[in-house]
Amino acid sequence: MPRLALILCVAVLLSACGGGSAAGSSFEPAKPGVLTVATAFLPAPGFWMGQPATKGFEAEFASALAKKLGLDRVQVVQVPFGQIIQGKLHGADLALSQLTPTEEREHSVDFSTPYLSAPPGVLARIGVDAADTHDLRDLQWVVSRLSTLTPVVMDRIRPTKTPIEVDDRTEALEVLRSGSANALMLDLPVALGLARDEPGLFHVLGQLDGDADIAAALPNGSDNREIVDSTIRALQADGTVDGLFSRWFGTSADDVPLILTEQRR
Amino acid sequence: MTLYTIEAPSGPVFEFFILFAVILFGPIIFTRFRLPGLIGLMLGGFVIGAHGLGWIGAGNHTVPELGHLGLLYLMFVAGLELDLRLLRDYKRAAVALGLLAFAIPVAGALLAGWAMGWSLSATFLLGALCSSHTLITYPRLREAGLGGSPAIASAVGATVLTDTLALIVLALVAGTETGSGSPALIVGEIALGFAVLIVVGLIVLPRAVDAAFRLWGADRVARYLLIIVALLFMSVLAEVFGIEAIVGAFFAGLALNRLVPNEGPSMERVEFFGAAVFVPVFVVSIGLLLDPSVMFTGETLGLAAVICGVAISGKAIACWLAGTLLGFSRPERVGMFVLTVPQAAATLAVTLIGFEIGLFSTSVVNAVLVLIVVSIVLSAVLAEKVIDWIPTKLEETRPLGGSVLVLTRSGGPSDAAVRAAMLLSRPDGGYSNVLITRTEDQPRLDRAAIRDIEERICRHGFDGHVRTEVSGLPDALAKELRAGGPSLVVVDDPGFDGAAGRVPLLVVNGSATRLIVDAEDGVADEVARRLARRL
């Protein structure tokens, strides 16, 4: 009798192994067996690389997400950044496009739990140096109208020269490459990716204190948000995210010097 | 006059202001409505969080990180406060109840998890959270004079076992979920980690901290910081072996259990900072996860019903079975249930870790918050019934070394008297105080003199209060005994010849001692034997 009870218990335990997803939620993909991911910038150094774009932090993060969610593969669709933040994901399950959650954007999309910390990072041309706010202030900045980091440059750095204003990140990088400007504020992982991609041209001067993050965007009211959140936390806990970060950005964010600026408001 | 610089408040200073306002007012408001302050903190966290007013945003790192420190502190205090003497005195009953109170909820959780299609890891974690419990109602029962009831004492002792087993399950689940390598390697690493935690926690750390207390113990700040360093050291040590830090924190509490007696001044400080800052911040950080749009859905409420059913019925069955096996009456079994059903500290810890490693979704976290509220309210209501039901309010048997008073004349206590007090109080998890008496014509002891005495006696591991009184030694003794304070008095006056009473008096004369006690022969002999064993 005790043996029978033991066998029953083991059977119960083994059959319970069947459920692979987090307790209390499940994932419903737009296409069966496929995780459809929208992204804006292809290629995006460090995040989406290769042809097709299967390498880079977000590309491999998408694969890890799909695997953890029990899906067979990832399909990538390119969607303009402006449309992603307006909630137009073109049928994708989610968007991975170095997106920083903001209150305004949350009206159009649902953000997942963050998968990367993204304090402001200063990308500068090689040869340009700055150790403190005073030095940063004297640089020639380029800012993008769509970026959430433009107010950081204007309010916390307060440049002495009027920054060059462009429409988006791609144009800002062109200005920086041309030498018309010598500093650009980006999310730190994005800056690290670009510096690693073009080491002869760019380097990361430092990071500013900030608690911004990078998260996935899901269609407003998506039922998949809970399971995506749980899966992201699982990938953070088992070291997948850290592993991808060091593989694609080559350094830990903690190793980038912190430049103290006026207290954040 | 321009007012263009006036802005809506934001930033770290504003966030701290909001956080501490919740910590202050949350419990005050809720206790007015006779609801536990803990619920006020949780709901306060929700109000200021991303799902409420949004004053502390979803991306905020400060409050969750501070909350993580609070979680370690909470588990540390849980280990520190446990009355290990009760586990020793009611070993058989405590072990029986502890094992049943762990195994039955775990079995229930395994069935529930299997029925809901959860992964094995999530199911075991559900078992760990349902099987652990927090002695929230114990102070109320002890206050009502039920602390000496064997059933109540057994339930308190059982907590050591139940919570340790729950944390072992947590360590195994979290380790296998987050570790890399084969499962056998991970389990081996965790087993090695537990062996190291046990050896360090039971042997190395208590000795090291005791030695440090003797060296720097008179400095209260240093004493407190030593406790915090010990807590964090054990937490880090656990993490080194892939075990959750809260397990190390709990072991740190057990390790320092005897060195930081529950009624002593060090414990007062630990509890003060815990109650004022660390633990409330943790509970508020949990409240930040509370999401009404998730909680008040059929799915979450259904989940809450299942989890409540598993945890509450599991504890009820365990107490009923253990009570029957041990011959406890029905009210006593309910008393055991009242102590083992409240879910708070370890439950929150396990839930948060399950959430952080992606095993639990927001629905589960919100369902567990329902369990916490239901179990606390249920136990608080039943506790009042139990106090009525158990007719004989049994006097709690005070351990011999529970509260030792060293009574001395104006020069301060001798080293021999303090050493004797420490040897007598520590095995019972007790504490010692010193009362220095002087006559009116003797010089007054100023602060510096008392400080010198404290420094000297702290070298013997003393952790108590030093008081002075203008009174003759016999009068001071009579007053203390009338107040019912000490369980044993060490009289540091070889010539003392007072009358025997029910509280044993141990007269110290260098290395020699003399016992004065008014008790039947057998009892007096037993007291003498116990004292001789410890000295």
Side-chain angles (χ1 to χ4, degrees):
Chain A
M1 193 63 185
R3 188 175 291 178
L4 179 65
L6 185 68
I7 291 168
L8 277 175
C9 282
V10 172
V12 167
L13 293 181
L14 289 176
S15 48
C17 289
S21 60
S25 55
S26 59
F27 189 80
E28 300 296 335
K31 291 181 194 166
V34 179
L35 178 68
T36 312
V37 179
T39 193
F41 309 109
L42 283 176
F47 286 87
W48 294 94
M49 297 161 80
Q51 192 64 260
T54 54
K55 298 196 182 308
F57 180 90
E58 283 181 344
E60 294 183 15
F61 181 66
S63 299
L65 266 180
K67 191 177 168 197
K68 201 91 177 168
L69 291 168
L71 304 172
D72 303 327
R73 64 189 179 90
V74 176
Q75 186 182 334
V76 182
V77 288
Q78 190 167 11
V79 178
F81 191 80
Q83 290 193 17
I84 291 178
I85 58 176
Q86 284 169 23
K88 295 170 187 159
L89 301 190
H90 293 236
D93 294 307
L94 51 88
L96 297 175
S97 199
Q98 307 109 66
L99 288 158
T100 303
T102 63
E103 226 169 273
E104 196 187 338
R105 290 173 180 176
E106 270 170 6
H107 294 305
S108 312
V109 288
D110 278 354
F111 282 103
S112 71
T113 196
Y115 52 84
L116 277 182
S117 282
V122 182
L123 184 74
R125 288 177 61 83
I126 290 287
V128 174
D129 217 354
D132 50 34
T133 322
H134 183 265
D135 294 345
L136 288 179
R137 205 161 278 164
D138 290 337
L139 301 180
Q140 176 61 58
W141 287 83
V142 54
V143 294
S144 132
R145 267 183 279 275
L146 277 180
S147 172
T148 54
L149 293 168
T150 301
V152 174
V153 177
M154 305 311 285
D155 300 342
R156 290 172 63 188
I157 306 291
R158 296 201 301 274
T160 50
K161 299 170 200 156
T162 309
I164 299 168
E165 193 171 282
V166 294
D167 278 336
D168 58 24
R169 189 211 295 175
T170 312
E171 285 181 29
L173 282 169
E174 282 313 313
V175 172
L176 201 60
R177 280 193 189 98
S178 71
S180 304
N182 45 23
L184 168 64
M185 192 72 78
L186 293 166
D187 291 328
L188 181 62
V190 177
L192 288 170
L194 285 161
R196 198 162 193 228
D197 192 51
E198 296 179 70
L201 197 57
F202 301 136
H203 71 129
V204 178
L205 270 182
Q207 60 179 312
L208 271 55
D209 179 27
D211 53 16
D213 297 300
I214 291 178
L218 290 92
N220 242 347
S222 169
D223 289 337
N224 289 330
R225 200 181 117 187
E226 268 203 62
I227 183 72
V228 169
D229 281 352
S230 300
T231 310
I232 289 173
R233 287 195 300 273
L235 293 173
Q236 286 170 325
D238 69 11
T240 303
V241 171
D242 283 346
L244 288 176
F245 194 96
S246 45
R247 186 187 315 165
W248 291 104
F249 305 120
T251 181
S252 157
D254 293 343
D255 295 335
V256 178
L258 178 69
I259 300 175
L260 292 173
T261 59
E262 194 177 312
Q263 187 62 45
R264 281 180 297 131
R265 295 292 303 271
Chain B
M1 188 175 73
T2 56
L3 294 175
Y4 66 92
T5 53
I6 296 178
E7 295 172 22
S10 63
V13 177
F14 173 67
E15 286 163 2
F16 281 125
F17 162 67
I18 291 299
L19 176 67
F20 281 93
V22 165
I23 291 172
L24 173 64
F25 293 112
I28 288 177
I29 294 167
F30 273 72
T31 46
R32 277 198 160 219
F33 294 103
R34 299 189 170 203
L35 287 166
L38 185 83
I39 298 172
L41 291 171
M42 266 197 279
L43 288 182
F46 152 68
V47 170
I48 61 173
H51 306 298
L53 297 171
W55 287 338
I56 294 187
N60 180 282
H61 296 282
T62 318
V63 177
E65 278 168 15
L66 252 179
H68 209 263
L69 185 60
L71 170 62
L72 295 180
Y73 203 91
L74 182 74
M75 293 312 294
F76 171 68
V77 174
L80 200 63
E81 280 183 337
L82 285 175
D83 198 335
L84 299 180
R85 182 182 59 87
L86 291 180
L87 178 64
R88 186 190 65 198
D89 292 353
Y90 297 91
K91 203 183 298 166
R92 189 172 145 265
V95 169
L97 177 61
L99 289 177
L100 286 169
F102 170 76
I104 294 175
V106 167
L110 288 177
L111 281 173
W114 169 68
M116 294 186 291
W118 286 16
S119 69
L120 191 60
S121 302
T123 304
F124 268 109
L125 213 54
L126 176 67
L129 81 85
C130 290
S131 63
S132 64
H133 59 257
T134 307
L135 294 170
I136 286 178
T137 42
Y138 182 54
R140 177 72 189 105
L141 297 184
R142 193 172 53 184
E143 195 182 275
L146 299 183
S149 155
I152 303 298
S154 306
V156 176
T159 306
V160 182
L161 195 62
T162 313
D163 282 3
T164 305
L165 289 171
L167 290 178
I168 289 173
V169 172
L170 167 71
L172 286 169
V173 172
T176 47
E177 280 296 307
T178 59
S180 53
S182 69
L185 192 72
I186 292 167
V187 171
E189 188 189 357
I190 291 170
L192 177 66
F194 268 105
V196 171
L197 282 179
I198 288 169
V199 170
V200 174
L202 293 184
I203 300 167
V204 182
L205 191 68
R207 289 190 175 146
V209 173
D210 190 20
F213 274 175
R214 286 166 197 265
L215 204 58
W216 304 305
D219 180 343
R220 286 169 192 173
V221 175
R223 202 176 181 94
Y224 179 73
L225 289 176
L226 260 168
I227 293 170
I228 298 296
V229 168
L231 148 69
L232 294 175
F233 167 72
M234 288 295 277
S235 306
V236 170
L237 191 64
E239 282 189 329
V240 166
F241 290 95
I243 298 172
E244 282 300 323
I246 60 162
V247 181
F250 184 71
F251 272 82
L254 293 178
L256 302 194
N257 190 289
R258 292 254 190 267
L259 292 173
V260 183
N262 278 351
E263 318 276 335
S266 293
M267 190 63 168
E268 275 171 26
R269 281 188 285 278
V270 168
E271 283 184 334
F272 173 79
F273 285 107
V277 183
F278 293 113
V279 178
V281 170
F282 165 64
V283 181
V284 172
S285 75
I286 290 284
L288 296 177
L289 302 174
L290 209 151
D291 185 350
S293 69
V294 174
M295 181 176 273
F296 299 109
T297 60
E299 189 197 345
T300 305
L301 292 176
L303 206 53
V306 171
I307 295 176
C308 286
V310 168
I312 295 171
S313 65
K315 293 293 185 186
I317 295 168
C319 293
W320 195 262
L321 265 178
T324 309
L325 286 172
L326 300 165
F328 290 134
S329 67
R330 192 169 163 230
E332 284 174 324
R333 288 175 218 172
V334 180
M336 287 157 70
F337 175 70
V338 159
L339 282 173
T340 56
V341 79
Q343 307 277 321
T347 306
L348 280 172
V350 172
T351 307
L352 185 67
I353 287 164
F355 178 76
E356 282 176 351
I357 62 177
L359 279 178
F360 289 163
S361 65
T362 318
S363 307
V364 178
V365 175
N366 280 268
V368 172
L369 295 182
V370 174
L371 165 69
I372 290 168
V373 173
V374 169
S375 69
I376 290 175
V377 171
L378 177 69
S379 65
V381 170
L382 278 179
E384 298 308 317
K385 303 273 179 204
V386 165
I387 290 165
D388 291 339
W389 285 342
I390 299 182
T392 317
K393 300 207 169 164
L394 297 166
E395 273 300 308
E396 192 174 351
T397 319
R398 294 178 75 195
L400 191 62
S403 168
V404 178
L405 177 71
V406 179
L407 196 60
T408 181
R409 293 198 190 276
S410 60
S414 67
D415 288 352
V418 176
R419 209 165 27 239
M422 297 318 299
L423 290 171
L424 294 170
S425 61
R426 274 205 180 154
D428 287 327
Y431 65 101
S432 315
N433 285 322
V434 170
L435 179 59
I436 303 169
T437 61
R438 70 173 177 92
T439 52
E440 277 181 29
D441 51 342
Q442 286 175 316
R444 185 173 166 271
L445 285 174
D446 59 11
R447 269 183 171 278
I450 292 176
R451 184 95 194 122
D452 286 345
I453 291 172
E454 280 177 343
E455 272 184 21
R456 178 169 58 82
I457 62 180
C458 278
R459 285 189 207 115
H460 300 289
F462 175 81
D463 180 22
H465 295 288
V466 177
R467 292 180 293 135
T468 58
E469 191 168 312
V470 182
S471 171
L473 197 142
D475 290 343
L477 175 62
K479 211 187 290 176
E480 289 294 320
L481 293 178
R482 268 200 305 277
S487 57
L488 171 74
V489 180
V490 174
V491 183
D492 190 19
D493 179 4
F496 179 80
D497 194 20
R502 298 194 69 82
V503 174
L505 310 178
L506 189 75
V507 182
V508 175
N509 181 9
S511 58
T513 56
R514 176 163 52 91
L515 177 67
I516 305 172
V517 63
D518 176 18
E520 289 165 16
D521 282 351
V523 177
D525 290 346
E526 174 55 23
V527 171
R529 260 197 303 275
R530 281 161 65 190
L531 290 178
R533 257 201 315 269
R534 291 183 188 180
L535 294 173

